[in-house]
Amino acid sequence: MDTSFLLAVGASFIVAGFVKGVVGLGLPTVAMGTLSLVMAPVQAAALLIVPSMVTNLWQLAAGPGLRALLRRLWPMLAAVMAGTLAGGALLPKDGGAWPVVALGVALMLYALAGLFSLQLRVPARHEAWLGPVMGAATGLVTAATGVFVIPAVPYLQGLGLARDALIQALGLAFTVSTVALAASLALHGDFSLGAAGASAYALLPALAGMLAGQWLRGRISQQVFKRCFFVGLFALGLHSALKPWLA
């Protein structure tokens, strides 16, 4: 790994960790978006495995009711795992422009949902079938782009969970998605020991950024920060979506 590569990875994960520290999510989304500027999405996905796993377990452990969430969300989580593994096996591996375009579209959709505060309302009677559908769709998006927020985050936000329970549910969903992504990448030879070592290196700047973001959380307006974050994320997604034609 040369110096320029290490600096690019370090800077990307400092920014991604900072965003997660302030708003409670966004590390893999920001990391995928920024790293895709300098490497292929599959390489970026391999790098985010360790930082995403550790920070999500941290977030998961801080919540009040893991057992109740597991009982409620396990059908969705199982579908996330199945969808990610199936997507990794079925999606084309031609190395063309489509993964970058798909990543850009996913980033823009997530940014628009955040900017316009789009929120689902999920009646309890529909959870039994809608949870697995949302989980499978999230798995396919994860396999294609390395981003596991669409549609899992809007779905979980629509369940009417209390704030702490929602944060823990997001940590749980992201942890399962990270495990599924790592398994999919490993099965196809994209998560080697070298990639694991680089991913472990990325944990240090991610934690530093996250701690800085947590320190700043109570000192700035989260609404203003979120608005700037989603605008920047949309611009990043647009650049990725248009990258094949800008080259």
Side-chain angles (χ1 to χ4, degrees):
M1 295 183 288
D2 59 27
T3 302
S4 60
F5 176 83
L6 292 174
L7 290 174
V9 171
S12 294
F13 279 98
I14 286 174
V15 173
F18 180 79
V19 170
K20 185 174 180 70
V22 175
V23 301
L25 50 86
L27 186 148
T29 311
V30 174
M32 283 297 302
T34 53
L35 289 172
S36 69
L37 299 175
V38 295
M39 64 183 69
V42 68
Q43 295 173 306
L47 283 175
L48 70 82
I49 295 299
V50 174
S52 180
M53 179 64 69
V54 172
T55 55
N56 286 322
L57 286 173
W58 183 349
Q59 180 175 334
L60 175 62
L66 178 59
R67 185 175 298 179
L69 284 174
L70 282 171
R71 282 198 303 266
R72 184 173 182 179
L73 299 178
W74 75 263
M76 172 196 166
L77 300 175
V80 167
M81 181 70 73
T84 304
L85 294 175
L90 298 175
L91 290 170
K93 301 293 182 182
D94 57 8
W98 75 267
V100 178
V101 175
L103 173 61
V105 171
L107 294 177
M108 288 191 291
L109 288 174
Y110 180 47
L112 288 173
L115 282 171
F116 293 102
S117 300
L118 300 179
Q119 188 165 342
L120 297 173
R121 291 289 184 269
V122 182
R125 65 182 182 276
H126 294 319
E127 284 187 46
W129 67 268
L130 191 56
V133 170
M134 293 294 101
T138 299
L140 291 174
V141 173
T142 298
T145 68
V147 172
F148 30 79
V149 295
I150 297 294
V153 170
Y155 172 77
L156 291 172
Q157 289 172 335
L159 294 179
L161 297 169
R163 181 179 180 275
D164 289 344
L166 175 60
I167 291 174
Q168 189 174 33
L170 290 170
L172 178 59
F174 295 161
T175 298
V176 171
S177 292
T178 303
V179 171
L181 180 61
S184 179
L185 291 171
L187 285 172
H188 297 90
D190 295 317
F191 191 56
S192 61
L193 286 178
S199 184
Y201 156 78
L203 175 63
L204 296 178
L207 290 177
M210 190 172 175
L211 290 172
Q214 289 177 335
W215 176 84
L216 194 63
R217 179 185 295 174
R219 295 169 173 81
I220 61 174
S221 168
Q222 284 203 37
Q223 288 303 112
V224 172
F225 183 87
K226 283 185 178 181
R227 193 173 300 116
C228 294
F229 162 58
F230 285 123
V231 168
L233 193 64
F234 183 87
L236 194 62
L238 182 63
H239 180 274
S240 294
L242 297 177
K243 190 175 181 179
W245 295 275
L246 295 175

